[in-house]
Amino acid sequence: MEPETFLEELADALVAVQRLIRRRLRRQMPDPRLRGAEVELLRLVVARPGVGISDAAKDLGLAANSVSTLVNQLVGAGWLVRETDPADRRAARLLPTPAAEARLDEWRRRRAELVRRQVARLDEADRQALHAAIPALRKLADTLHEEAEHS
Protein backbone atom coordinates (compact mmCIF):
# COMPACT_ATOMS: atom_id res chain seq x y z
CA MET A 1 0.00 0.00 0.00
CA GLU A 2 1.28 3.46 -0.91
CA PRO A 3 1.99 5.80 2.04
CA GLU A 4 -0.62 8.35 0.91
CA THR A 5 -3.22 5.64 0.40
CA PHE A 6 -2.46 4.25 3.85
CA LEU A 7 -2.90 7.67 5.45
CA GLU A 8 -6.18 8.33 3.67
CA GLU A 9 -7.51 4.86 4.49
CA LEU A 10 -6.47 5.20 8.14
CA ALA A 11 -8.17 8.58 8.49
CA ASP A 12 -11.30 7.32 6.70
CA ALA A 13 -11.47 4.21 8.88
CA LEU A 14 -11.07 6.17 12.12
CA VAL A 15 -13.77 8.64 11.12
CA ALA A 16 -16.13 5.88 9.98
CA VAL A 17 -15.79 3.89 13.19
CA GLN A 18 -16.36 6.97 15.37
CA ARG A 19 -19.32 8.14 13.29
CA LEU A 20 -20.99 4.72 13.28
CA ILE A 21 -20.52 4.22 17.02
CA ARG A 22 -21.97 7.67 17.68
CA ARG A 23 -24.97 7.08 15.38
CA ARG A 24 -25.77 3.68 16.86
CA LEU A 25 -25.55 4.99 20.41
CA ARG A 26 -27.63 8.09 19.73
CA ARG A 27 -30.51 5.88 18.64
CA GLN A 28 -30.26 3.87 21.87
CA MET A 29 -29.87 6.74 24.31
CA PRO A 30 -32.91 8.29 25.92
CA ASP A 31 -33.84 11.86 25.08
CA PRO A 32 -32.80 14.59 25.22
CA ARG A 33 -30.21 14.07 22.52
CA LEU A 34 -26.89 15.78 23.08
CA ARG A 35 -24.78 17.13 20.23
CA GLY A 36 -21.16 16.07 19.84
CA ALA A 37 -19.72 19.30 21.24
CA GLU A 38 -22.04 19.08 24.25
CA VAL A 39 -20.91 15.53 24.97
CA GLU A 40 -17.25 16.51 24.58
CA LEU A 41 -17.68 19.36 27.06
CA LEU A 42 -19.52 17.13 29.53
CA ARG A 43 -16.79 14.49 29.25
CA LEU A 44 -14.15 17.12 29.93
CA VAL A 45 -16.00 18.52 32.96
CA VAL A 46 -16.55 15.03 34.40
CA ALA A 47 -12.84 14.27 33.91
CA ARG A 48 -11.75 17.67 35.31
CA PRO A 49 -14.41 18.99 37.70
CA GLY A 50 -13.92 22.69 38.34
CA VAL A 51 -12.36 23.40 34.94
CA GLY A 52 -12.84 26.96 33.75
CA ILE A 53 -14.41 28.03 30.49
CA SER A 54 -11.16 29.29 28.92
CA ASP A 55 -9.29 26.08 29.83
CA ALA A 56 -12.18 24.00 28.50
CA ALA A 57 -12.12 25.99 25.27
CA LYS A 58 -8.38 25.44 24.92
CA ASP A 59 -8.67 21.69 25.60
CA LEU A 60 -11.55 21.30 23.13
CA GLY A 61 -9.99 23.53 20.47
CA LEU A 62 -13.01 25.83 20.46
CA ALA A 63 -13.47 29.56 20.88
CA ALA A 64 -14.23 30.65 24.45
CA ASN A 65 -17.53 32.24 23.36
CA SER A 66 -18.58 28.93 21.73
CA VAL A 67 -17.85 27.07 24.98
CA SER A 68 -19.68 29.77 26.93
CA THR A 69 -22.75 29.20 24.74
CA LEU A 70 -22.50 25.44 25.28
CA VAL A 71 -22.16 25.99 29.03
CA ASN A 72 -25.28 28.16 29.09
CA GLN A 73 -27.23 25.47 27.22
CA LEU A 74 -25.98 22.65 29.44
CA VAL A 75 -26.61 24.62 32.64
CA GLY A 76 -30.14 25.37 31.44
CA ALA A 77 -30.72 21.70 30.67
CA GLY A 78 -29.47 20.61 34.10
CA TRP A 79 -26.28 18.91 32.93
CA LEU A 80 -23.74 21.39 34.34
CA VAL A 81 -23.39 23.65 37.36
CA ARG A 82 -21.49 26.91 36.98
CA GLU A 83 -20.08 28.36 40.17
CA THR A 84 -17.87 31.35 40.87
CA ASP A 85 -14.19 30.55 41.26
CA PRO A 86 -13.23 31.57 44.81
CA ALA A 87 -9.71 32.45 43.62
CA ASP A 88 -11.01 34.80 40.91
CA ARG A 89 -14.57 36.07 41.36
CA ARG A 90 -14.71 36.97 37.63
CA ALA A 91 -14.12 33.36 36.53
CA ALA A 92 -16.47 30.40 36.59
CA ARG A 93 -15.78 26.79 37.48
CA LEU A 94 -17.78 24.05 35.82
CA LEU A 95 -19.09 21.02 37.63
CA PRO A 96 -21.11 18.08 36.31
CA THR A 97 -24.51 17.33 37.77
CA PRO A 98 -25.30 13.78 38.93
CA ALA A 99 -27.54 13.49 35.85
CA ALA A 100 -24.58 14.30 33.58
CA GLU A 101 -22.36 11.75 35.31
CA ALA A 102 -25.08 9.10 35.03
CA ARG A 103 -25.64 9.93 31.35
CA LEU A 104 -21.94 9.61 30.53
CA ASP A 105 -21.67 6.37 32.52
CA GLU A 106 -24.59 4.96 30.54
CA TRP A 107 -23.03 6.14 27.25
CA ARG A 108 -19.71 4.49 28.14
CA ARG A 109 -21.46 1.26 29.17
CA ARG A 110 -23.47 1.09 25.96
CA ARG A 111 -20.43 2.03 23.84
CA ALA A 112 -18.32 -0.71 25.44
CA GLU A 113 -21.08 -3.26 24.85
CA LEU A 114 -21.51 -2.20 21.22
CA VAL A 115 -17.78 -2.41 20.54
CA ARG A 116 -17.52 -5.71 22.45
CA ARG A 117 -20.26 -7.26 20.28
CA GLN A 118 -18.73 -6.03 17.03
CA VAL A 119 -15.16 -7.00 17.91
CA ALA A 120 -16.39 -10.47 18.88
CA ARG A 121 -17.62 -10.89 15.30
CA LEU A 122 -14.07 -10.44 13.96
CA ASP A 123 -11.64 -13.29 13.59
CA GLU A 124 -8.82 -13.73 16.09
CA ALA A 125 -6.18 -12.19 13.80
CA ASP A 126 -8.23 -9.01 13.38
CA ARG A 127 -8.88 -8.78 17.13
CA GLN A 128 -5.15 -9.11 17.81
CA ALA A 129 -4.34 -6.49 15.16
CA LEU A 130 -6.77 -4.04 16.78
CA HIS A 131 -5.30 -4.76 20.20
CA ALA A 132 -1.77 -4.21 18.93
CA ALA A 133 -2.80 -0.90 17.28
CA ILE A 134 -4.13 0.69 20.50
CA PRO A 135 -0.77 2.12 21.72
CA ALA A 136 -0.04 3.65 18.31
CA LEU A 137 -3.55 5.13 18.07
CA ARG A 138 -3.16 6.65 21.54
CA LYS A 139 0.17 8.19 20.51
CA LEU A 140 -1.48 9.56 17.37
CA ALA A 141 -4.23 11.12 19.50
CA ASP A 142 -1.63 12.62 21.83
CA THR A 143 0.34 14.18 18.98
CA LEU A 144 -2.84 15.61 17.46
CA HIS A 145 -3.77 17.08 20.84
CA GLU A 146 -0.29 18.52 21.38
CA GLU A 147 -0.24 20.08 17.93
CA ALA A 148 -3.64 21.66 18.54
CA GLU A 149 -2.36 23.18 21.79
CA HIS A 150 0.61 24.78 20.04
CA SER A 151 -1.28 26.21 17.08
Side-chain angles (χ1 to χ4, degrees):
M1 181 181 313
E2 295 295 317
E4 289 305 311
T5 304
F6 164 72
L7 299 175
E8 287 181 29
E9 288 188 25
L10 175 63
D12 288 346
L14 292 171
V15 169
V17 168
Q18 178 64 18
R19 183 181 62 241
L20 291 167
I21 288 172
R22 205 178 280 150
R23 281 185 186 166
R24 294 274 305 269
L25 291 178
R26 275 192 190 132
R27 283 187 255 156
Q28 296 176 10
M29 292 297 290
D31 285 335
R33 289 198 170 166
L34 297 172
R35 296 184 331 233
E38 293 170 327
V39 173
E40 285 184 41
L41 179 57
L42 285 177
R43 290 177 69 189
L44 176 65
V45 174
V46 167
R48 293 181 43 208
V51 67
I53 292 173
S54 61
D55 286 339
K58 182 178 174 185
D59 284 0
L60 296 173
L62 298 172
N65 63 338
S66 297
V67 172
S68 187
T69 299
L70 288 171
V71 167
N72 289 336
Q73 293 167 347
L74 293 170
V75 167
W79 299 109
L80 286 180
V81 173
R82 177 182 25 225
E83 62 180 36
T84 303
D85 187 336
D88 179 357
R89 307 287 298 158
R90 298 167 296 167
R93 295 177 357 161
L94 304 174
L95 300 166
T97 63
E101 290 177 334
R103 175 76 174 227
L104 290 178
D105 285 346
E106 182 64 12
W107 177 273
R108 279 190 290 269
R109 187 190 66 71
R110 289 179 189 221
R111 182 183 62 188
E113 182 54 35
L114 172 63
V115 172
R116 184 178 2 269
R117 283 193 319 269
Q118 299 309 313
V119 169
R121 296 176 64 188
L122 301 175
D123 64 31
E124 183 62 26
D126 286 338
R127 286 194 299 270
Q128 287 181 5
L130 288 173
H131 189 267
I134 290 171
L137 290 170
R138 284 192 176 131
K139 285 179 187 174
L140 177 60
D142 289 344
T143 61
L144 286 166
H145 183 73
E146 289 169 6
E147 183 177 284
E149 283 185 344
H150 295 101
S151 54

Short mmCIF file of all heavy atoms in Angstrom, two decimals, residues 13-70:
data_model
loop_
_atom_site.label_atom_id
_atom_site.label_comp_id
_atom_site.label_asym_id
_atom_site.label_seq_id
_atom_site.Cartn_x
_atom_site.Cartn_y
_atom_site.Cartn_z
N ALA A 13 -11.02 5.27 7.98
CA ALA A 13 -11.47 4.21 8.88
C ALA A 13 -11.75 4.74 10.28
O ALA A 13 -12.76 4.39 10.90
CB ALA A 13 -10.43 3.08 8.94
N LEU A 14 -10.87 5.61 10.79
CA LEU A 14 -11.07 6.17 12.12
C LEU A 14 -12.36 7.00 12.17
O LEU A 14 -13.15 6.87 13.12
CB LEU A 14 -9.87 7.03 12.53
CG LEU A 14 -8.56 6.28 12.78
CD1 LEU A 14 -7.43 7.27 12.97
CD2 LEU A 14 -8.68 5.34 13.95
N VAL A 15 -12.57 7.81 11.16
CA VAL A 15 -13.77 8.64 11.12
C VAL A 15 -15.02 7.77 11.01
O VAL A 15 -16.02 8.00 11.70
CB VAL A 15 -13.70 9.65 9.95
CG1 VAL A 15 -15.03 10.33 9.70
CG2 VAL A 15 -12.63 10.68 10.22
N ALA A 16 -14.97 6.75 10.16
CA ALA A 16 -16.13 5.88 9.98
C ALA A 16 -16.50 5.15 11.26
O ALA A 16 -17.68 5.09 11.63
CB ALA A 16 -15.86 4.88 8.85
N VAL A 17 -15.51 4.61 11.95
CA VAL A 17 -15.79 3.89 13.19
C VAL A 17 -16.41 4.83 14.22
O VAL A 17 -17.44 4.51 14.83
CB VAL A 17 -14.50 3.23 13.75
CG1 VAL A 17 -14.71 2.74 15.17
CG2 VAL A 17 -14.08 2.07 12.86
N GLN A 18 -15.83 6.00 14.39
CA GLN A 18 -16.36 6.97 15.37
C GLN A 18 -17.78 7.38 15.01
O GLN A 18 -18.67 7.43 15.86
CB GLN A 18 -15.44 8.19 15.47
CG GLN A 18 -15.94 9.25 16.42
CD GLN A 18 -16.01 8.78 17.86
OE1 GLN A 18 -15.40 7.80 18.25
NE2 GLN A 18 -16.77 9.48 18.66
N ARG A 19 -18.00 7.70 13.73
CA ARG A 19 -19.32 8.14 13.29
C ARG A 19 -20.37 7.05 13.50
O ARG A 19 -21.47 7.30 14.01
CB ARG A 19 -19.27 8.56 11.82
CG ARG A 19 -20.60 9.09 11.30
CD ARG A 19 -20.55 9.48 9.83
NE ARG A 19 -20.24 8.33 9.00
CZ ARG A 19 -19.17 8.22 8.22
NH1 ARG A 19 -18.29 9.19 8.15
NH2 ARG A 19 -18.97 7.14 7.50
N LEU A 20 -20.03 5.82 13.14
CA LEU A 20 -20.99 4.72 13.28
C LEU A 20 -21.29 4.40 14.74
O LEU A 20 -22.44 4.13 15.10
CB LEU A 20 -20.49 3.49 12.53
CG LEU A 20 -20.50 3.65 11.01
CD1 LEU A 20 -19.70 2.54 10.35
CD2 LEU A 20 -21.92 3.69 10.49
N ILE A 21 -20.28 4.44 15.58
CA ILE A 21 -20.52 4.22 17.02
C ILE A 21 -21.45 5.31 17.53
O ILE A 21 -22.44 5.02 18.22
CB ILE A 21 -19.20 4.20 17.81
CG1 ILE A 21 -18.43 2.91 17.53
CG2 ILE A 21 -19.47 4.35 19.31
CD1 ILE A 21 -17.03 2.88 18.12
N ARG A 22 -21.16 6.55 17.20
CA ARG A 22 -21.97 7.67 17.68
C ARG A 22 -23.42 7.54 17.20
O ARG A 22 -24.36 7.72 17.98
CB ARG A 22 -21.36 8.98 17.19
CG ARG A 22 -21.72 10.15 18.07
CD ARG A 22 -21.06 11.42 17.60
NE ARG A 22 -19.68 11.50 18.05
CZ ARG A 22 -18.70 12.12 17.41
NH1 ARG A 22 -18.94 12.72 16.27
NH2 ARG A 22 -17.50 12.15 17.90
N ARG A 23 -23.61 7.22 15.92
CA ARG A 23 -24.97 7.08 15.38
C ARG A 23 -25.74 5.96 16.07
O ARG A 23 -26.91 6.11 16.41
CB ARG A 23 -24.92 6.81 13.88
CG ARG A 23 -24.67 8.03 13.07
CD ARG A 23 -24.76 7.69 11.60
NE ARG A 23 -24.39 8.83 10.80
CZ ARG A 23 -24.12 8.78 9.52
NH1 ARG A 23 -24.16 7.63 8.88
NH2 ARG A 23 -23.79 9.87 8.87
N ARG A 24 -25.09 4.82 16.22
CA ARG A 24 -25.77 3.68 16.86
C ARG A 24 -26.16 4.02 18.29
O ARG A 24 -27.26 3.68 18.73
CB ARG A 24 -24.86 2.45 16.84
CG ARG A 24 -24.55 1.88 15.49
CD ARG A 24 -25.58 0.89 14.97
NE ARG A 24 -25.87 -0.21 15.83
CZ ARG A 24 -25.24 -1.39 15.80
NH1 ARG A 24 -24.27 -1.61 14.95
NH2 ARG A 24 -25.60 -2.34 16.62
N LEU A 25 -25.27 4.67 19.01
CA LEU A 25 -25.55 4.99 20.41
C LEU A 25 -26.62 6.06 20.54
O LEU A 25 -27.43 6.01 21.46
CB LEU A 25 -24.28 5.40 21.13
CG LEU A 25 -23.28 4.27 21.35
CD1 LEU A 25 -22.03 4.80 22.03
CD2 LEU A 25 -23.88 3.14 22.15
N ARG A 26 -26.61 7.04 19.65
CA ARG A 26 -27.63 8.09 19.73
C ARG A 26 -29.03 7.51 19.63
O ARG A 26 -29.94 7.97 20.30
CB ARG A 26 -27.43 9.11 18.61
CG ARG A 26 -26.44 10.16 18.95
CD ARG A 26 -26.48 11.30 17.95
NE ARG A 26 -25.37 12.17 18.20
CZ ARG A 26 -24.54 12.62 17.28
NH1 ARG A 26 -24.74 12.31 16.02
NH2 ARG A 26 -23.54 13.39 17.60
N ARG A 27 -29.19 6.51 18.78
CA ARG A 27 -30.51 5.88 18.64
C ARG A 27 -30.93 5.15 19.91
O ARG A 27 -32.11 5.04 20.19
CB ARG A 27 -30.51 4.91 17.47
CG ARG A 27 -30.60 5.61 16.14
CD ARG A 27 -30.77 4.61 15.03
NE ARG A 27 -29.48 4.52 14.36
CZ ARG A 27 -29.06 3.48 13.66
NH1 ARG A 27 -29.81 2.44 13.52
NH2 ARG A 27 -27.88 3.49 13.09
N GLN A 28 -29.97 4.64 20.66
CA GLN A 28 -30.26 3.87 21.87
C GLN A 28 -30.46 4.73 23.11
O GLN A 28 -31.12 4.31 24.04
CB GLN A 28 -29.12 2.90 22.17
CG GLN A 28 -28.89 1.84 21.14
CD GLN A 28 -27.67 1.00 21.50
OE1 GLN A 28 -27.11 1.10 22.58
NE2 GLN A 28 -27.24 0.17 20.57
N MET A 29 -29.85 5.91 23.11
CA MET A 29 -29.87 6.74 24.31
C MET A 29 -31.21 7.44 24.46
O MET A 29 -31.81 7.86 23.47
CB MET A 29 -28.75 7.78 24.28
CG MET A 29 -27.35 7.19 24.39
SD MET A 29 -27.03 6.33 25.94
CE MET A 29 -26.98 7.68 27.09
N PRO A 30 -31.65 7.58 25.70
CA PRO A 30 -32.91 8.29 25.92
C PRO A 30 -32.74 9.78 25.61
O PRO A 30 -31.64 10.32 25.62
CB PRO A 30 -33.19 8.07 27.41
CG PRO A 30 -31.86 7.76 28.01
CD PRO A 30 -31.04 7.11 26.94
N ASP A 31 -33.86 10.41 25.32
CA ASP A 31 -33.84 11.86 25.08
C ASP A 31 -33.57 12.58 26.39
O ASP A 31 -33.82 12.02 27.45
CB ASP A 31 -35.17 12.31 24.48
CG ASP A 31 -35.30 11.92 23.01
OD1 ASP A 31 -34.25 11.75 22.37
OD2 ASP A 31 -36.44 11.77 22.53
N PRO A 32 -33.07 13.77 26.38
CA PRO A 32 -32.80 14.59 25.22
C PRO A 32 -31.48 14.18 24.57
O PRO A 32 -30.55 13.75 25.24
CB PRO A 32 -32.70 16.01 25.79
CG PRO A 32 -32.17 15.81 27.17
CD PRO A 32 -32.77 14.51 27.63
N ARG A 33 -31.44 14.37 23.26
CA ARG A 33 -30.21 14.07 22.52
C ARG A 33 -29.21 15.20 22.74
O ARG A 33 -29.57 16.36 22.76
CB ARG A 33 -30.50 13.93 21.05
CG ARG A 33 -31.26 12.66 20.77
CD ARG A 33 -31.18 12.29 19.33
NE ARG A 33 -31.74 10.94 19.19
CZ ARG A 33 -32.05 10.43 18.04
NH1 ARG A 33 -31.88 11.11 16.95
NH2 ARG A 33 -32.54 9.22 17.99
N LEU A 34 -27.97 14.81 22.90
CA LEU A 34 -26.89 15.78 23.08
C LEU A 34 -26.04 15.80 21.81
O LEU A 34 -25.74 14.75 21.24
CB LEU A 34 -26.03 15.40 24.28
CG LEU A 34 -26.74 15.42 25.63
CD1 LEU A 34 -25.85 14.84 26.71
CD2 LEU A 34 -27.15 16.84 25.98
N ARG A 35 -25.65 16.98 21.38
CA ARG A 35 -24.78 17.13 20.23
C ARG A 35 -23.35 16.73 20.62
O ARG A 35 -23.00 16.70 21.79
CB ARG A 35 -24.80 18.57 19.73
CG ARG A 35 -26.16 19.00 19.20
CD ARG A 35 -26.10 20.40 18.64
NE ARG A 35 -25.08 21.20 19.30
CZ ARG A 35 -25.29 22.38 19.85
NH1 ARG A 35 -26.46 22.90 19.86
NH2 ARG A 35 -24.30 23.04 20.42
N GLY A 36 -22.53 16.49 19.61
CA GLY A 36 -21.16 16.07 19.84
C GLY A 36 -20.36 17.02 20.71
O GLY A 36 -19.66 16.60 21.63
N ALA A 37 -20.47 18.33 20.44
CA ALA A 37 -19.72 19.30 21.24
C ALA A 37 -20.21 19.33 22.68
O ALA A 37 -19.42 19.52 23.61
CB ALA A 37 -19.84 20.69 20.62
N GLU A 38 -21.50 19.12 22.89
CA GLU A 38 -22.04 19.08 24.25
C GLU A 38 -21.49 17.88 25.01
O GLU A 38 -21.09 17.99 26.17
CB GLU A 38 -23.57 19.03 24.21
CG GLU A 38 -24.20 20.30 23.69
CD GLU A 38 -25.68 20.16 23.44
OE1 GLU A 38 -26.14 19.06 23.06
OE2 GLU A 38 -26.39 21.17 23.61
N VAL A 39 -21.45 16.74 24.34
CA VAL A 39 -20.91 15.53 24.97
C VAL A 39 -19.43 15.70 25.28
O VAL A 39 -18.96 15.34 26.36
CB VAL A 39 -21.15 14.29 24.08
CG1 VAL A 39 -20.44 13.06 24.64
CG2 VAL A 39 -22.63 14.01 23.94
N GLU A 40 -18.68 16.29 24.35
CA GLU A 40 -17.25 16.51 24.58
C GLU A 40 -17.02 17.41 25.79
O GLU A 40 -16.14 17.14 26.61
CB GLU A 40 -16.59 17.14 23.35
CG GLU A 40 -16.38 16.17 22.21
CD GLU A 40 -15.64 16.81 21.06
OE1 GLU A 40 -14.69 17.57 21.30
OE2 GLU A 40 -16.02 16.54 19.91
N LEU A 41 -17.82 18.47 25.91
CA LEU A 41 -17.68 19.36 27.06
C LEU A 41 -18.06 18.64 28.35
O LEU A 41 -17.34 18.76 29.36
CB LEU A 41 -18.52 20.63 26.87
CG LEU A 41 -18.47 21.63 28.03
CD1 LEU A 41 -17.05 22.08 28.34
CD2 LEU A 41 -19.37 22.83 27.71
N LEU A 42 -19.14 17.89 28.33
CA LEU A 42 -19.52 17.13 29.53
C LEU A 42 -18.43 16.14 29.93
O LEU A 42 -18.10 16.02 31.11
CB LEU A 42 -20.84 16.38 29.31
CG LEU A 42 -22.10 17.21 29.31
CD1 LEU A 42 -23.32 16.33 29.00
CD2 LEU A 42 -22.29 17.92 30.64
N ARG A 43 -17.86 15.45 28.95
CA ARG A 43 -16.79 14.49 29.25
C ARG A 43 -15.60 15.20 29.90
O ARG A 43 -15.01 14.68 30.84
CB ARG A 43 -16.36 13.76 27.99
CG ARG A 43 -17.42 12.78 27.48
CD ARG A 43 -17.03 12.13 26.20
NE ARG A 43 -15.92 11.20 26.45
CZ ARG A 43 -15.24 10.61 25.51
NH1 ARG A 43 -15.51 10.82 24.25
NH2 ARG A 43 -14.28 9.78 25.82
N LEU A 44 -15.26 16.37 29.37
CA LEU A 44 -14.15 17.12 29.93
C LEU A 44 -14.44 17.55 31.36
O LEU A 44 -13.59 17.41 32.24
CB LEU A 44 -13.86 18.35 29.06
CG LEU A 44 -12.78 19.29 29.58
CD1 LEU A 44 -11.42 18.61 29.60
CD2 LEU A 44 -12.73 20.56 28.74
N VAL A 45 -15.65 18.04 31.62
CA VAL A 45 -16.00 18.52 32.96
C VAL A 45 -16.06 17.35 33.95
O VAL A 45 -15.65 17.50 35.10
CB VAL A 45 -17.31 19.32 32.94
CG1 VAL A 45 -17.76 19.69 34.34
CG2 VAL A 45 -17.14 20.59 32.09
N VAL A 46 -16.53 16.20 33.52
CA VAL A 46 -16.55 15.03 34.40
C VAL A 46 -15.11 14.60 34.71
O VAL A 46 -14.79 14.25 35.84
CB VAL A 46 -17.37 13.87 33.78
CG1 VAL A 46 -17.12 12.56 34.52
CG2 VAL A 46 -18.85 14.22 33.80
N ALA A 47 -14.24 14.65 33.71
CA ALA A 47 -12.84 14.27 33.91
C ALA A 47 -12.08 15.30 34.74
O ALA A 47 -11.17 14.95 35.48
CB ALA A 47 -12.14 14.08 32.57
N ARG A 48 -12.46 16.58 34.62
CA ARG A 48 -11.75 17.67 35.31
C ARG A 48 -12.75 18.60 35.99
O ARG A 48 -12.92 19.75 35.56
CB ARG A 48 -10.89 18.45 34.32
CG ARG A 48 -9.75 17.63 33.77
CD ARG A 48 -8.87 18.38 32.81
NE ARG A 48 -8.57 19.74 33.23
CZ ARG A 48 -8.31 20.73 32.37
NH1 ARG A 48 -8.31 20.51 31.08
NH2 ARG A 48 -8.03 21.93 32.81
N PRO A 49 -13.43 18.13 37.03
CA PRO A 49 -14.41 18.99 37.70
C PRO A 49 -13.76 20.28 38.18
O PRO A 49 -12.64 20.27 38.70
CB PRO A 49 -14.89 18.16 38.89
CG PRO A 49 -14.46 16.77 38.60
CD PRO A 49 -13.29 16.84 37.68
N GLY A 50 -14.44 21.40 37.94
CA GLY A 50 -13.92 22.69 38.34
C GLY A 50 -13.16 23.40 37.23
O GLY A 50 -12.67 24.50 37.42
N VAL A 51 -13.05 22.77 36.06
CA VAL A 51 -12.36 23.40 34.94
C VAL A 51 -13.06 24.71 34.59
O VAL A 51 -14.28 24.83 34.71
CB VAL A 51 -12.30 22.45 33.71
CG1 VAL A 51 -13.67 22.18 33.11
CG2 VAL A 51 -11.34 22.97 32.66
N GLY A 52 -12.28 25.68 34.17
CA GLY A 52 -12.84 26.96 33.75
C GLY A 52 -13.20 26.96 32.28
O GLY A 52 -12.78 26.08 31.51
N ILE A 53 -13.96 27.95 31.87
CA ILE A 53 -14.41 28.03 30.49
C ILE A 53 -13.23 28.20 29.53
O ILE A 53 -13.16 27.53 28.50
CB ILE A 53 -15.45 29.15 30.32
CG1 ILE A 53 -16.74 28.76 31.05
CG2 ILE A 53 -15.73 29.44 28.84
CD1 ILE A 53 -17.80 29.83 31.11
N SER A 54 -12.29 29.07 29.85
CA SER A 54 -11.16 29.29 28.92
C SER A 54 -10.29 28.03 28.81
O SER A 54 -9.83 27.69 27.70
CB SER A 54 -10.33 30.49 29.34
OG SER A 54 -9.77 30.30 30.61
N ASP A 55 -10.06 27.33 29.92
CA ASP A 55 -9.29 26.08 29.83
C ASP A 55 -10.06 25.02 29.05
O ASP A 55 -9.46 24.26 28.28
CB ASP A 55 -8.95 25.56 31.23
CG ASP A 55 -7.85 26.36 31.90
OD1 ASP A 55 -7.09 27.05 31.19
OD2 ASP A 55 -7.75 26.31 33.14
N ALA A 56 -11.36 24.96 29.25
CA ALA A 56 -12.18 24.00 28.50
C ALA A 56 -12.11 24.31 27.01
O ALA A 56 -11.97 23.40 26.18
CB ALA A 56 -13.62 24.02 28.99
N ALA A 57 -12.19 25.60 26.67
CA ALA A 57 -12.12 25.99 25.27
C ALA A 57 -10.78 25.58 24.67
O ALA A 57 -10.73 25.04 23.55
CB ALA A 57 -12.32 27.50 25.14
N LYS A 58 -9.72 25.80 25.40
CA LYS A 58 -8.38 25.44 24.92
C LYS A 58 -8.28 23.92 24.71
O LYS A 58 -7.80 23.46 23.68
CB LYS A 58 -7.33 25.91 25.92
CG LYS A 58 -5.92 25.64 25.51
CD LYS A 58 -4.94 26.16 26.53
CE LYS A 58 -3.53 25.75 26.19
NZ LYS A 58 -2.58 26.14 27.23
N ASP A 59 -8.74 23.15 25.69
CA ASP A 59 -8.67 21.69 25.60
C ASP A 59 -9.51 21.15 24.44
O ASP A 59 -9.14 20.15 23.82
CB ASP A 59 -9.12 21.04 26.90
CG ASP A 59 -8.08 21.13 27.99
OD1 ASP A 59 -7.00 21.71 27.75
OD2 ASP A 59 -8.34 20.62 29.09
N LEU A 60 -10.66 21.78 24.18
CA LEU A 60 -11.55 21.30 23.13
C LEU A 60 -11.23 21.90 21.76
O LEU A 60 -11.81 21.48 20.75
CB LEU A 60 -13.01 21.61 23.50
CG LEU A 60 -13.53 20.92 24.75
CD1 LEU A 60 -14.92 21.43 25.09
CD2 LEU A 60 -13.53 19.40 24.58
N GLY A 61 -10.33 22.89 21.73
CA GLY A 61 -9.99 23.53 20.47
C GLY A 61 -11.12 24.38 19.93
O GLY A 61 -11.32 24.49 18.72
N LEU A 62 -11.88 24.99 20.84
CA LEU A 62 -13.01 25.83 20.46
C LEU A 62 -12.79 27.25 20.97
O LEU A 62 -12.01 27.47 21.89
CB LEU A 62 -14.31 25.28 21.07
CG LEU A 62 -14.75 23.89 20.63
CD1 LEU A 62 -15.93 23.42 21.46
CD2 LEU A 62 -15.09 23.87 19.15
N ALA A 63 -13.51 28.18 20.40
CA ALA A 63 -13.47 29.56 20.88
C ALA A 63 -14.16 29.64 22.24
O ALA A 63 -15.13 28.91 22.49
CB ALA A 63 -14.16 30.49 19.89
N ALA A 64 -13.66 30.51 23.10
CA ALA A 64 -14.23 30.65 24.45
C ALA A 64 -15.72 31.02 24.39
O ALA A 64 -16.51 30.52 25.19
CB ALA A 64 -13.45 31.69 25.25
N ASN A 65 -16.11 31.87 23.43
CA ASN A 65 -17.53 32.24 23.36
C ASN A 65 -18.39 31.06 22.93
O ASN A 65 -19.55 30.94 23.35
CB ASN A 65 -17.75 33.46 22.45
CG ASN A 65 -17.36 33.21 21.01
OD1 ASN A 65 -16.57 32.32 20.70
ND2 ASN A 65 -17.91 34.03 20.13
N SER A 66 -17.85 30.14 22.11
CA SER A 66 -18.58 28.93 21.73
C SER A 66 -18.79 28.03 22.95
O SER A 66 -19.88 27.48 23.16
CB SER A 66 -17.85 28.15 20.65
OG SER A 66 -17.75 28.91 19.48
N VAL A 67 -17.74 27.89 23.76
CA VAL A 67 -17.85 27.07 24.98
C VAL A 67 -18.82 27.73 25.95
O VAL A 67 -19.62 27.06 26.59
CB VAL A 67 -16.47 26.82 25.61
CG1 VAL A 67 -16.60 26.15 26.96
CG2 VAL A 67 -15.63 25.97 24.68
N SER A 68 -18.77 29.05 26.05
CA SER A 68 -19.68 29.77 26.93
C SER A 68 -21.13 29.51 26.53
O SER A 68 -22.00 29.30 27.38
CB SER A 68 -19.36 31.26 26.89
OG SER A 68 -20.11 31.94 27.85
N THR A 69 -21.39 29.51 25.23
CA THR A 69 -22.75 29.20 24.74
C THR A 69 -23.14 27.79 25.11
O THR A 69 -24.26 27.55 25.58
CB THR A 69 -22.81 29.40 23.21
OG1 THR A 69 -22.51 30.77 22.92
CG2 THR A 69 -24.17 29.04 22.65
N LEU A 70 -22.22 26.83 24.90
CA LEU A 70 -22.50 25.44 25.28
C LEU A 70 -22.77 25.32 26.78
O LEU A 70 -23.69 24.60 27.19
CB LEU A 70 -21.31 24.54 24.91
CG LEU A 70 -21.09 24.23 23.44
CD1 LEU A 70 -19.77 23.52 23.24
CD2 LEU A 70 -22.24 23.41 22.89
#
